[in-house]
Amino acid sequence: MRTVAAQVLDSAIPVLAKDRGASMQVIATRAGISRATLTRMFPTRQLLVQAMAEKILDDCDRALTRAEAHTGFTDQVLAGLVGEYRPFAQLWNLVYVEPDVLGAPAATERAEGIFARTIALLAVGQDAGVLRTDMPATWLASTFCGLAETAWELTLEGHMGTRQAPDFITTVLLHGLSTATTTASRMR
C-alpha cells in the first residue's frame, strides 16, 4: 500500500516537471492537499525536491533490478523496461536539471550509477541480438531515456495516451524513425 507521502510525490513530480518555479502552494494545490499538509511532510521546497529525486532514483533502481533479474535479454525484458519508462523520463527531466538535486553528490552518484546500469543492460541486449549493434550502448541508453522523457511529457500534455507511450518508445528504439532500414545510407 502506498503512503500518502508517495502519493504526494507522484502528484508533485509532474507539477515540477512542467513548472520548475512552482511554489509549495502551487504544488500542494495540484496535489490536492493543503500547503500546511505538504509542509508537514516536507518542511522546505528543497526537501520536497530531494524526496522526489530519491523516489525517482528508487523507481529506476527497481525497474533495472527487475530487468537484470532475467537470464538473457529478450523482447519481454525490453518490453518490461520500456513499460516502466516514467522514472527514466523523470530522471532526465528532473534529477539532472533541478538545482536542488544537482548539488547533491549522493543523488548525482546514484543517477550516474543508474545510467551505467542502463547502458550495461542494453549492451546485453545487443549481445543477445535483440538490439542493434551498429551504435554504442551509451547511445541506445541515451535514446531510451530521451524517448521516455518525450513520451512522458506528451502524456502529461494530453497528446498521447499512457498506454500508447511504451509501444511508441519500443517502435522508435527498434526501428528508428524511418520505414526503411537503409535510411542512413540514403542520407549520405
Side-chain angles (χ1 to χ4, degrees), residues 9 20 27 43 64 68 72-73 79 85-86 88 102 106 117 123 138 145 147 152 155-157 160 168 174 178:
L9 291 173
R20 297 263 184 254
I27 293 169
L64 285 168
E68 293 163 341
F73 191 99
Y85 73 92
R86 281 181 200 88
F88 295 93
L102 282 175
R117 287 173 61 199
T138 302
C145 291
L147 289 171
W152 185 57
T155 59
L156 289 177
E157 295 168 2
M160 171 186 287
F168 284 18
L174 294 179
S178 176

Side-chain angles (χ1 to χ4, degrees), residues 83-173:
E84 297 187 71
Y85 73 92
R86 281 181 200 88
F88 295 93
Q90 295 163 353
L91 179 72
W92 277 43
N93 189 292
L94 292 173
V95 175
Y96 284 130
V97 299
E98 180 58 38
D100 288 332
V101 178
L102 282 175
T108 300
E109 185 177 320
R110 279 192 71 197
E112 289 171 358
I114 284 168
F115 190 62
R117 287 173 61 199
T118 306
I119 294 167
L121 179 65
L122 296 181
V124 171
Q126 288 176 308
D127 292 343
V130 174
L131 301 174
R132 58 189 308 153
T133 58
D134 60 336
M135 296 180 174
T138 302
W139 175 266
L140 296 179
S142 294
T143 301
F144 165 62
C145 291
L147 289 171
E149 182 180 9
T150 299
W152 185 57
E153 287 176 1
L154 290 173
T155 59
L156 289 177
E157 295 168 2
H159 299 294
M160 171 186 287
T162 56
R163 292 190 315 219
Q164 287 177 311
D167 290 339
F168 284 18
I169 294 168
T170 301
T171 297
V172 174
L173 272 178

